[in-house]
Amino acid sequence: MPELVFFSGTMDCGKSTLALQIEHNRSARGLQGMIFTRDDRAGEGKLSSRLGLVTEAVEAADGFDFYAYVVAHLSAGGRADYVIADEAQFLAPGQIDQLARVVDDLALDVFAFGITTDFRTKLFPGSQRLVELADRIEVLQVEALCWCGARATHNARTVAGQMVVEGAQVVVGDVDGAQDTVGYEVLCRRHHIRRMTAAAAGAGALSPDVLPVDAEAHWPYARGPVRT
């Protein structure tokens, strides 16, 4: 049975890479897909990964109707065996309904890829609707890591390296952005709550008060073996 599958994860966990891999695997078997994206880092009408892979895609702007577009393509004699929608968190809930209709009425698999929550830990409307409608939700197994080495679970927005928690929900940036511009960083929950980015942690490590204790007074082993 055709499915609406939502592949979710934080930034930098390989969502777009997986979308390109699915496209490669199916096209290598003679299947033809329709690829859509929204606000990709490579520019309009592109689906790209941070590994340097890129392919052409249809830009799904505000008001774009997925169902009408696919129906028009098929009615004109085109072929479509599946649909890929990257950056699905930026889509409107109504557009997610259209993708679900592609599955139910046209019997096509739809693979949607997106971030679940924004920099404020709030659900994106498109992602929320996917959680509500998807036949299957897959959390990507390639774990993005926080600067501390723990599994990254949250997306942080940074300005000049400092985490911010206010502003528009959608501001295009990247995890590799320059320090003086809007960028993004993946953090574990503990450091997201503390608003401690890699830059902030580096600055903190320079402080003489990082460990405000007398190691010898509080940890006898620091003076050498304890004889009994």
Side-chain angles (χ1 to χ4, degrees), residues 38 60-66 92 95 98:
R38 173 74 181 268
D62 290 337
F64 182 86
D65 190 322
F66 285 92
Q95 291 176 311
Q98 295 160 12

Side-chain angles (χ1 to χ4, degrees), residues 2-4 34 70 74 80-83 99 102-104 106-110:
E3 290 184 307
L4 172 59
M34 302 188 72
V70 176
L74 296 174
D81 298 304
Y82 59 93
V83 168
L99 290 174
V102 168
V103 176
D104 296 338
L106 305 179
L108 299 179
D109 284 316
V110 173

Side-chain angles (χ1 to χ4, degrees), residues 66-78:
F66 285 92
Y67 183 78
Y69 189 94
V70 176
V71 167
H73 174 76
L74 296 174
S75 299

Side-chain angles (χ1 to χ4, degrees), residues 3-162:
E3 290 184 307
L4 172 59
V5 187
F6 179 32
F7 293 92
S8 68
T10 62
M11 297 183 73
D12 212 20
C13 74
K15 296 181 301 300
S16 297
T17 301
L18 179 58
L20 289 163
Q21 185 68 55
I22 287 176
E23 161 63 13
H24 170 75
N25 290 352
R26 280 163 173 71
S27 62
R29 296 294 178 265
L31 301 178
Q32 294 183 19
M34 302 188 72
I35 304 175
F36 301 93
T37 191
R38 173 74 181 268
D39 293 337
D40 188 273
R41 68 184 71 84
E44 184 174 334
K46 303 288 185 182
L47 192 166
S48 67
S49 80
R50 293 188 178 87
L51 298 182
L53 304 173
V54 63
T55 191
E56 298 296 322
V58 176
E59 186 75 15
D62 290 337
F64 182 86
D65 190 322
F66 285 92
Y67 183 78
Y69 189 94
V70 176
V71 167
H73 174 76
L74 296 174
S75 299
R79 177 181 171 185
D81 298 304
Y82 59 93
V83 168
I84 290 174
D86 197 27
E87 305 293 358
Q89 73 274 4
F90 297 143
L91 301 179
Q95 291 176 311
I96 303 301
D97 291 344
Q98 295 160 12
L99 290 174
R101 190 179 178 192
V102 168
V103 176
D104 296 338
D105 292 0
L106 305 179
L108 299 179
D109 284 316
V110 173
F111 306 105
F113 299 81
I115 299 167
T116 307
T117 56
D118 64 15
F119 70 105
R120 301 165 300 185
T121 71
K122 304 297 183 181
L123 284 167
F124 281 100
S127 299
Q128 177 178 335
R129 193 58 177 152
L130 276 165
V131 170
E132 294 166 348
L133 292 184
D135 298 295
R136 183 159 49 94
I137 299 173
E138 299 283 351
V139 178
L140 270 66
Q141 297 303 308
V142 177
E143 294 183 351
L145 298 179
C146 177
W147 60 263
C148 69
R151 178 173 178 265
T153 55
H154 292 71
N155 306 293
R157 179 181 294 171
T158 61
V159 177
Q162 300 300 310

